[in-house]
């Protein structure tokens, strides 16, 4: 039995949750998100709490979807109330970033600038060498941060590149004469 799935979800004030047969929609101050419901999984709303129920706990696939469905709904509630953010750090001489509306202009040591178009619902703010990616959908924010990091991942010799704030990069020793 999933320990994550058994926990109830409390609905904060100012958040509306509507449960349908195949999805759960959450509306809040920052926007609206929807999560799918998987086969044999139902959601019951009792006042200000949500309970995720599983009809068949015998199969491994259903048990894994049980915890997943609960976390998707909980993340949607957090997203529409406070939102999510990831911070990236640029390390290297001449590495810069500029936010231009719905795109991010990156100078990462290539012969050309890298222009990354931000998807809907995700915003990026730049402060010196720190890029803050924020939005209400946790999956989109993490995916955008991973795509920006993938342009120039940190290299192990000098540590240059794009990394998450607080990320540890193991450094290697260079060639010896």
């Amino acid at each position: 039995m999933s320990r994550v799935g058994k926990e109830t979800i409390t609905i904060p004030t100012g958040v509306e949750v509507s449960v349908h047969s195949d999805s759960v929609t959450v509306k809040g101050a920052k926007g609206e998100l929807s999560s799918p419901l998987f086969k044999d999984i139902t959601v019951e709303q009792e006042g200000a709490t949500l309970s995720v129920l599983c009809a068949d706990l015998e199969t491994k696939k259903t048990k894994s979807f049980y915890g997943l469905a609960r976390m998707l709904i909980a993340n949607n509630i957090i997203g529409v109330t406070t939102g999510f953010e990831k911070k990236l750090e640029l390390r290297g001489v001449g590495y810069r970033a500029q936010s231009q509306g719905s795109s991010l202009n990156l100078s990462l040591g290539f012969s050309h600038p890298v222009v990354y178009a931000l998807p809907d619902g995700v915003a990026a703010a730049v402060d010196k060498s720190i890029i803050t990616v924020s939005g209400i959908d946790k999956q989109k924010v993490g995916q955008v941060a991973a795509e920006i990091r993938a342009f120039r991942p940190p290299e192990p010799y000098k540590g240059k590149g794009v990394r998450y704030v607080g990320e540890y990069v193991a450094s290697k020793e260079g060639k010896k004469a």
Side-chain angles (χ1 to χ4, degrees):
M1 180 127 178
S2 172
R3 294 181 188 166
V4 173
K6 284 194 280 186
E7 296 178 19
T8 60
I9 304 168
T10 58
I11 303 170
T13 57
V15 175
E16 291 181 31
V17 177
S18 57
V19 180
H20 307 291
S21 62
D22 61 342
S23 67
V24 175
T25 305
V26 180
K27 291 181 186 177
K30 293 194 175 241
E32 178 180 344
L33 290 172
S34 182
S35 302
L37 285 180
F38 306 103
K39 184 182 173 191
D40 295 330
I41 294 175
T42 57
V43 176
E44 288 185 2
Q45 184 174 0
E46 301 165 11
T49 61
L50 286 176
S51 299
V52 179
L53 305 172
C54 186
D56 178 28
L57 284 171
E58 299 302 318
T59 61
K60 186 175 181 181
K61 189 174 186 180
T62 306
K63 284 194 288 188
S64 64
F65 282 151
Y66 180 39
L68 174 67
R70 189 242 175 238
M71 282 310 298
L72 288 175
I73 296 167
N75 284 338
N76 286 349
I77 290 174
I78 293 169
V80 298
T81 55
T82 59
F84 294 99
E85 71 175 23
K86 291 260 187 187
K87 293 188 179 211
L88 298 163
E89 179 182 8
L90 298 175
R91 281 206 187 163
V93 177
Y95 287 17
R96 287 184 212 92
Q98 291 178 332
S99 179
Q100 298 173 340
S102 65
S103 66
L104 196 62
N105 193 356
L106 303 164
S107 297
L108 299 174
F110 298 121
S111 61
H112 59 282
V114 177
V115 178
Y116 181 76
L118 296 168
D120 292 338
V122 178
V126 179
D127 181 40
K128 295 184 183 177
S129 64
I130 305 291
I131 302 169
T132 305
V133 180
S134 59
I136 61 171
D137 191 355
K138 186 175 185 177
Q139 194 275 330
K140 273 189 183 179
V141 170
Q143 184 65 36
V144 167
E147 288 173 2
I148 293 171
R149 183 185 181 275
F151 287 127
R152 183 70 95 175
E155 54 101 8
Y157 296 103
K158 292 185 179 178
K160 298 190 312 182
V162 181
R163 65 175 76 190
Y164 296 110
V165 170
E167 178 183 3
Y168 173 75
V169 177
S171 60
K172 294 181 180 179
E173 190 175 330
K175 291 181 181 178
K176 292 185 179 180

